[in-house]
Amino acid sequence: MNLVSIRIITANIESLVKFYEQITGITAIQYTPDFAELKTSTATIAIGSTKTLQFFGGENIAQPAENRSAIIEFLVDDVDKEFERLRDSLSSNIVQEPTVMPWGNKSLLFRDPDGNLVNFFTPISKEAVEKFNSN
């Protein structure tokens, strides 16, 4: 079994798609006005409008901008460089500037326009680097 995508449901698909395009540098594939994907080499961020919930059983299946438990994480080559690149555009949404975590990653934590937590991280300890080099 492989995890292939994370889908975010939003009431403002245009804003969220633009945000993820900006932070990742990846152009989204907009299949319909209500559904887009940003494909990385290992997984996909899917973004669906609330209108797509009708295909899953109705509007009450998911609520946009209500996530308080998941963090969307991106492995980046240099978290400090990404912080410098995005600092101005993320300024009011930065939760934590680049910080070394106890498990050996340097992490930048911020929120997307819907309030979802996003983590850019770079392994820096020997153990963390080895973990990601073996994958």
Side-chain angles (χ1 to χ4, degrees), residues 113-134:
D114 278 7
N116 299 303
L117 284 170
V118 179
N119 181 33
F120 277 13
F121 72 94
T122 302
I124 60 168
S125 74
K126 179 183 175 198
E127 296 80 11
V129 169
E130 287 174 357
K131 174 185 169 187
F132 285 98
N133 284 340
S134 67

Side-chain angles (χ1 to χ4, degrees), residues 44-59:
T44 297
I45 296 285
I47 302 172
S49 79
T50 53
K51 292 177 186 175
T52 63
L53 294 175
Q54 66 185 325
F55 302 109
F56 296 107
E59 291 180 12

Side-chain angles (χ1 to χ4, degrees), residues 47-103:
I47 302 172
S49 79
T50 53
K51 292 177 186 175
T52 63
L53 294 175
Q54 66 185 325
F55 302 109
F56 296 107
E59 291 180 12
N60 294 328
I61 297 298
Q63 299 297 314
E66 293 292 327
N67 173 34
R68 294 290 179 248
S69 62
I71 302 174
I72 302 163
E73 297 190 301
F74 293 90
L75 174 64
V76 298
D77 290 333
D78 185 336
V79 75
D80 292 315
K81 199 178 276 188
E82 293 296 328
F83 177 61
E84 290 304 317
R85 179 177 71 88
L86 296 168
R87 180 195 309 248
D88 292 340
S89 60
L90 293 177
S91 62
S92 63
N93 295 315
I94 294 173
V95 174
Q96 178 178 279
E97 293 187 5
T99 303
V100 177
M101 307 308 281
W103 44 89

